């Protein structure tokens, strides 16, 4: 019996040692250094018009930033975007730029340093190849939905942006679509307005800094279901394509308890202004 016990203990110790080695094993392959930044984005605003059946995006992105050292050019990731022009956001002066398949270089009128704040507008359009996806609604003939997925650096397919995770900024999404479509995004809904020709504009604002890949944009003929606020104060909602509210109510019914549980479990209260969940048909990611 004693020998058997010793054998079990020895086996467990050996397995524990193996697991420790495997758990601490470094990845092999070529070394990739962190991407170095020459600027720090403070705020990112996109004012866009989306054509769902055409799969097209056009509009303007306004980027506000601080240089991290003296620079005379700002280089942004812009994958297959058609750039129409760049202007100083304050003076309106035209800025020179050079664009390729994957980059937009904006020439500054003079050298700028860490004590300066820059802001410029980029006018562009694109037919996204990734990052933003368009799909016919399988439940309603003639209806469409659009959604985004930014991990892995995909947002540069529809936004001129610094396309890596080592920068955080606040953001705004001002998006115009045709009725009856609804636009959902990060933060609070600052405004929604009915325009001419059956168009609707939604203005979402996120006041806490976040990485670029966390920008979320969803367009569809949505209905909203409301849940009990987390901690009595944090709004909780789920959104489904019209006609699917019953399924949504069943799937998302315990969301409030889950947010409260994990906040308490990790001793870190959920920090964002809301918690929304969106059910998109045929979400492909």
């Amino acid at each position: 019996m004693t020998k058997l016990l010793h054998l079990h203990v020895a086996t467990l110790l050996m397995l524990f040692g193996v697991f420790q080695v495997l758990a601490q094993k470094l990845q092999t392959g070529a070394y990739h250094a962190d991407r170095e930044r020459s600027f720090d984005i403070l705020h990112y605003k996109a004012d866009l018009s989306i054509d769902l059946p055409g799969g097209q995006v056009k509009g303007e992105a306004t980027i506000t930033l601080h240089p991290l050292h003296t620079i005379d050019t700002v280089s942004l990731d812009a994958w297959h975007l058609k750039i129409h022009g760049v202007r100083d956001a304050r003076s309106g002066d035209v800025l020179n730029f050079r664009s390729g398949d994957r980059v937009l270089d904006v020439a500054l009128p003079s050298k700028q340093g860490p004590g300066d704040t820059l802001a410029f507008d980029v006018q562009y359009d694109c037919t996204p190849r990734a990052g933003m996806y368009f799909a016919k609604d399988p439940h309603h003939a003639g209806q469409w939905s659009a959604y985004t997925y930014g991990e892995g650096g995909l947002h540069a397919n529809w936004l001129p942006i610094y396309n890596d995770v080592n920068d955080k900024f606040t953001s705004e999404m001002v998006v115009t679509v045709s009725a009856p479509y609804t636009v959902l995004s990060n933060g609070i809904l600052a405004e929604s307005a009915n325009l001419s020709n059956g168009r609707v504009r939604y203005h979402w604002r996120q006041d806490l800094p976040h990485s670029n890949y966390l920008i979320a944009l969803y367009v569809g003929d949505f209905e909203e279901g409301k849940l009990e606020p987390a901690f009595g104060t944090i709004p909780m909602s789920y959104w489904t394509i019209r006609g699917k509210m019953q399924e949504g109510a069943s799937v998302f019914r315990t969301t409030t308890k889950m947010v409260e549980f994990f906040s308490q479990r990790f001793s870190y209260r959920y920090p964002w202004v809301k918690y929304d969940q969106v059910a998109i048909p045929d979400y492909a990611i």
Side-chain angles (χ1 to χ4, degrees), residues 181-192:
Y181 294 117
T182 298
V183 177
L184 307 174
S185 191
N186 309 76
I188 64 170
L189 181 61
E191 180 188 19
S192 63

Side-chain angles (χ1 to χ4, degrees), residues 40-43 167-171 186 206-212 214 271-272:
D40 176 29
I41 295 179
L42 305 175
H43 187 71
D167 192 14
K168 290 180 172 61
F169 46 83
T170 55
S171 64
N186 309 76
Q206 176 57 267
D207 293 328
L208 288 178
H210 56 86
S211 298
N212 90 77
L214 293 177
W272 304 98

Side-chain angles (χ1 to χ4, degrees), residues 27-46:
Q27 293 292 328
T28 58
Y31 171 75
H32 297 281
D34 289 339
R35 184 175 179 180
E36 292 190 14
R37 294 182 292 143
S38 61
F39 54 85
D40 176 29
I41 295 179
L42 305 175
H43 187 71
Y44 194 100
K45 180 180 179 180

Side-chain angles (χ1 to χ4, degrees), residues 88-237:
D88 185 288
R90 293 171 179 143
S91 69
D93 292 342
V94 174
L95 300 179
N96 293 325
F97 68 92
R98 181 181 61 192
S99 62
D101 284 344
R102 298 178 71 86
V103 67
L104 167 64
D105 293 327
V106 178
L108 304 178
S110 61
K111 290 186 177 181
Q112 304 289 312
D116 298 310
T117 301
L118 317 176
F120 53 83
D121 304 321
V122 181
Q123 296 85 38
Y124 72 100
D125 67 65
C126 63
T127 303
R129 303 184 184 187
M132 180 181 288
Y133 305 89
F134 300 83
K136 289 184 177 180
D137 187 333
H139 307 293
H140 300 86
Q143 294 291 317
W144 289 77
S145 60
Y147 58 90
T148 60
Y149 181 86
E151 290 193 45
L154 297 179
H155 277 341
N157 285 277
W158 62 282
L159 294 171
I161 200 165
Y162 175 78
N163 203 32
D164 218 317
V165 297
N166 59 334
D167 192 14
K168 290 180 172 61
F169 46 83
T170 55
S171 64
E172 294 176 79
M173 291 284 125
V174 183
V175 181
T176 301
V177 294
S178 297
Y181 294 117
T182 298
V183 177
L184 307 174
S185 191
N186 309 76
I188 64 170
L189 181 61
E191 180 188 19
S192 63
N194 293 316
L195 308 179
S196 60
N197 301 321
R199 305 279 282 173
V200 187
R201 182 179 65 236
Y202 294 87
H203 181 181
W204 291 91
R205 189 181 73 241
Q206 176 57 267
D207 293 328
L208 288 178
H210 56 86
S211 298
N212 90 77
Y213 71 89
L214 293 177
I215 293 174
L217 191 62
Y218 295 86
V219 184
D221 185 12
F222 294 124
E223 292 184 278
E224 180 184 13
K226 290 187 177 294
L227 301 167
E228 287 295 319
F231 304 103
T233 59
I234 301 172
M236 312 283 286
S237 292

